[in-house]
């Protein structure tokens, strides 16, 4: 009789072996297990059994190059204190990064409320601002690229608050070039003494140089009425600050009434929509829904608001959802009362 054994195995570089003696022949039925040291990745099967044929059931494993945890490519910041502001265009320069939400910038550098872009590509940006001591005039929050004060550029939200304080939020995927800079700005239409509260934030993260997705704006205003209306007229405009579209295939990508997913996966969609010519009736409301079934506010992202804030206002949604290839995500509205209102051109839509 001939003793059947398997050839010796050795511990991989940057790893260990157990179940057998490293460098010694193994008996039939013996199982060898490999483990990589912390920070190294297993290449091949993590275990192998000695077969009656004298062969191992799996090849020799290796421990790959040390995996270095990369920092998040972006930042999260908040205002360090409350500052009094005035009429016109205002910027907050006392924002800071702190704690576990702090600076992780590789694609850009953050300083005093401004993101300085180092990597060209698509970013997800957002800002939330609390404004205090308001007198009732309208205000806009917008993400300004290269200090632009053009309201027709992307990423703007506004309301006409009647309360003494109000919160604004805006978020979007946006294409930025190396050397550009971005900061949140607020425009006060009439208030000469209001406060940019410390409960305000600004964030931005690098998503990639060319990822599947789009940023669009409303090409012209759209009239709407009572009941359901789907937002139509989205256009991709590369000349607009932040505009982009990647991964578009035949019949899939941005269309006038939404975005048709070129491939299945998890997408992040944002919509910042200004609606005008509202009646202001306290008993009426407008509901905005973003999803594959935009008329089903239980199957997508939804927000509802009464029109007690005045005859125009912004509505904003920012959420993730699974979308199958070929499905279309749209932005829809349900008006309970108003027969004649419109979706204004200061509206944007993005999906990545």
């Amino acid at each position: 009789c001939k003793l059947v054994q398997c050839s010796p195995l050795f511990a991989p570089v940057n790893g260990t072996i157990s179940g057998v003696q490293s460098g010694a022949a193994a008996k039939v039925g013996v199982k060898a297990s490999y483990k990589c040291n912390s920070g190294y990745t297993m290449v091949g099967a993590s275990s192998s059994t000695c077969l009656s044929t004298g062969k191992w059931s799996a090849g020799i494993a290796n421990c790959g190059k040390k995996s270095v945890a990369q920092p998040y490519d972006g930042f999260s910041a908040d205002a360090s204190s409350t500052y009094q502001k005035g009429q016109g265009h205002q910027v907050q320069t006392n924002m800071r990064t702190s704690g576990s939400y702090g600076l992780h910038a590789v694609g850009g550098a953050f300083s005093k409320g401004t993101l300085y872009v180092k990597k060209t590509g698509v970013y997800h940006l957002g800002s939330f601002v609390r404004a205090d001591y308001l007198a009732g005039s309208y205000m806009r929050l917008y993400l300004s690229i290269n200090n632009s004060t053009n309201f027709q550029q992307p990423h703007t939200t506004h309301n006409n608050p009647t309360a003494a304080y109000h919160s604004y939020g805006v978020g979007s995927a946006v294409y930025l070039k190396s050397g550009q800079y971005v900061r949140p700005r607020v425009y006060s239409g009439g208030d000469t003494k209001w406060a940019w509260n410390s409960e305000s934030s600004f964030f931005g993260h690098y998503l990639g140089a060319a990822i599947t997705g789009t940023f669009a704006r409303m090409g012209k205003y759209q009239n709407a009425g009572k009941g359901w209306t789907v937002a139509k007229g989205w256009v991709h405009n590369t000349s607009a600050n932040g505009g982009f579209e990647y991964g578009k295939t035949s019949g899939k990508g941005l269309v006038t009434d939404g975005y048709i997913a070129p491939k299945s996966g998890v997408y992040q969609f944002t919509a910042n929509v200004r609606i005008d010519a509202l009646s202001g009736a306290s008993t009426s409301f407008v509901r905005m829904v973003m999803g594959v079934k935009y008329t089903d506010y239980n199957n997508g992202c939804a927000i509802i608001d009464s029109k007690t804030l005045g005859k125009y206002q912004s509505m904003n949604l920012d959420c993730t959802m699974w979308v199958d290839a070929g499905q279309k995500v749209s932005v829809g509205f349900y008006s309970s009362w108003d027969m004649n209102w419109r979706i204004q051109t200061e509206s944007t839509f993005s999906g990545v």
Side-chain angles (χ1 to χ4, degrees), residues 227-352:
W228 284 104
T229 298
V230 62
K232 296 181 179 180
W234 299 118
V235 296
H236 167 239
N237 185 354
T238 55
S239 65
N241 279 339
F244 71 93
E245 183 159 25
Y246 291 120
K248 185 178 179 69
T249 60
S250 178
K252 298 178 182 179
L254 181 69
V255 291
T256 58
D257 60 346
Y259 181 78
I260 300 176
K263 59 183 180 181
S264 299
V266 176
Y267 288 76
Q268 179 176 34
F269 288 96
T270 67
N272 304 288
V273 179
R274 169 179 164 176
I275 54 178
D276 281 10
L278 304 172
S279 66
S282 60
T283 56
S284 66
F285 65 85
V286 171
R287 177 183 281 116
M288 181 168 82
V289 182
M290 182 168 59
V292 175
K293 298 179 180 179
Y294 70 86
T295 57
D296 184 357
Y297 44 84
N298 291 314
N299 187 19
C301 303
I303 188 172
I304 187 171
D305 209 340
S306 67
K307 295 190 282 292
T308 57
L309 293 176
K311 296 179 184 286
Y312 59 88
Q313 65 186 70
S314 289
M315 302 184 76
N316 312 84
L317 285 172
D318 189 339
C319 63
T320 56
M321 65 184 76
W322 176 272
V323 185
D324 290 329
Q327 287 186 318
K328 180 168 61 178
V329 174
S330 299
V331 181
F333 297 87
Y334 179 81
S335 170
S336 68
W337 180 267
D338 280 287
M339 301 293 292
N340 297 289
W341 57 283
R342 63 178 175 265
I343 302 170
Q344 191 54 273
T345 54
E346 289 182 17
S347 301
T348 57
F349 173 57
S350 70
V352 290

Side-chain angles (χ1 to χ4, degrees), residues 111-325:
S111 176
K112 296 182 179 180
T114 301
L115 168 66
Y116 296 92
V117 179
K118 294 181 179 179
K119 277 185 179 180
T120 296
V122 178
Y123 288 72
H124 181 222
L125 301 174
S127 181
F128 299 92
V129 171
R130 170 179 162 179
D132 288 2
Y133 311 119
L134 303 175
S137 69
Y138 76 90
M139 302 187 78
R140 282 183 170 96
L141 165 66
Y142 60 103
L143 298 175
S144 172
I145 301 175
N146 288 359
N147 224 30
S148 172
T149 58
N150 180 7
F151 293 137
Q152 297 299 324
Q153 71 170 357
H155 341 298
T156 213
T157 184
H158 73 276
N159 274 308
N160 187 24
T162 56
Y165 57 89
H166 190 76
S167 289
Y168 300 82
V170 63
S172 183
V174 55
Y175 179 81
L176 297 173
K177 296 180 180 179
S178 177
Q180 290 183 318
Y181 59 95
V182 185
R183 58 177 57 134
R185 299 192 67 157
V186 170
Y187 178 81
S188 171
D191 280 291
T192 57
K193 294 182 178 180
W194 61 280
W196 194 314
N197 195 280
S198 60
E199 293 180 12
S200 302
S201 61
F202 175 38
F203 66 85
H205 288 84
Y206 178 75
L207 300 180
I211 60 176
T212 300
T214 190
F215 175 89
R217 62 178 180 84
M218 187 62 63
K220 61 180 181 179
Y221 73 83
Q222 176 186 347
N223 291 320
K226 187 178 179 181
W228 284 104
T229 298
V230 62
K232 296 181 179 180
W234 299 118
V235 296
H236 167 239
N237 185 354
T238 55
S239 65
N241 279 339
F244 71 93
E245 183 159 25
Y246 291 120
K248 185 178 179 69
T249 60
S250 178
K252 298 178 182 179
L254 181 69
V255 291
T256 58
D257 60 346
Y259 181 78
I260 300 176
K263 59 183 180 181
S264 299
V266 176
Y267 288 76
Q268 179 176 34
F269 288 96
T270 67
N272 304 288
V273 179
R274 169 179 164 176
I275 54 178
D276 281 10
L278 304 172
S279 66
S282 60
T283 56
S284 66
F285 65 85
V286 171
R287 177 183 281 116
M288 181 168 82
V289 182
M290 182 168 59
V292 175
K293 298 179 180 179
Y294 70 86
T295 57
D296 184 357
Y297 44 84
N298 291 314
N299 187 19
C301 303
I303 188 172
I304 187 171
D305 209 340
S306 67
K307 295 190 282 292
T308 57
L309 293 176
K311 296 179 184 286
Y312 59 88
Q313 65 186 70
S314 289
M315 302 184 76
N316 312 84
L317 285 172
D318 189 339
C319 63
T320 56
M321 65 184 76
W322 176 272
V323 185
D324 290 329

